[in-house]
Amino acid sequence: QVQLVESGGASVQAGGSLRLSCAFSGSRFSRFAMAWYRQAPGKTREKVAIIATRYTTNYADSVKGRFTISRDNTKNTIALQMNSLKPDDTAVYFCNAGPDEYPYRPDFWGQGTQVTVSS
């Protein structure tokens, strides 16, 4: 069974940076597309960034140019580098994994990590 564990969430001021990490276990990591989603209070969960098995990426318009998703197939991890953070980025961030196909539909989810951005 796939397990995903996020880390790196914190409270930061607007304009700051954070790096989230997600550790994958329980299956062959290189076969999965991976993604970060987030859910802000009172809002629906939304896609932030996706990285395919061949390292192609896709971002939500709201984070383009500020966030970067990456994967390390030797360590079975993904990361989300978040720069120029805004209060609107405040949310619980979830790592997930799914088949490498379009459209992407996650099958496995982590527990989430809280990111709070203050103005």
Side-chain angles (χ1 to χ4, degrees):
Q1 179 73 2
V2 170
Q3 291 189 323
L4 301 168
V5 179
E6 303 97 335
S7 61
S11 295
V12 296
Q13 291 192 327
S17 297
L18 276 178
R19 184 177 179 86
L20 305 182
S21 295
C22 175
F24 174 105
S25 62
S27 189
R28 189 167 176 177
F29 177 70
S30 61
R31 291 181 175 174
F32 287 83
M34 301 292 296
W36 288 97
Y37 280 51
R38 68 186 180 186
Q39 187 165 18
K43 296 187 177 180
T44 57
R45 196 170 293 189
E46 63 175 359
K47 179 201 75 175
V48 175
I50 300 171
I51 186 164
T53 57
R54 297 184 179 184
Y55 297 88
T56 54
T57 57
N58 182 269
Y59 295 91
D61 287 343
S62 59
V63 307
K64 281 181 181 176
R66 300 188 299 122
F67 290 11
T68 303
I69 189 171
S70 60
R71 66 188 296 156
D72 186 336
N73 284 2
T74 66
K75 297 181 178 179
N76 292 359
T77 59
I78 66 167
L80 185 68
Q81 178 65 42
M82 306 186 293
N83 298 327
S84 303
L85 283 161
K86 306 174 181 179
D88 284 349
D89 295 319
T90 295
V92 178
Y93 283 71
F94 298 91
C95 168
N96 57 55
D100 191 16
E101 58 191 24
Y102 182 84
Y104 174 72
R105 293 191 180 92
D107 285 339
F108 305 100
W109 292 80
Q111 293 299 307
T113 186
Q114 177 70 47
V115 172
T116 303
V117 184
S118 58
S119 56

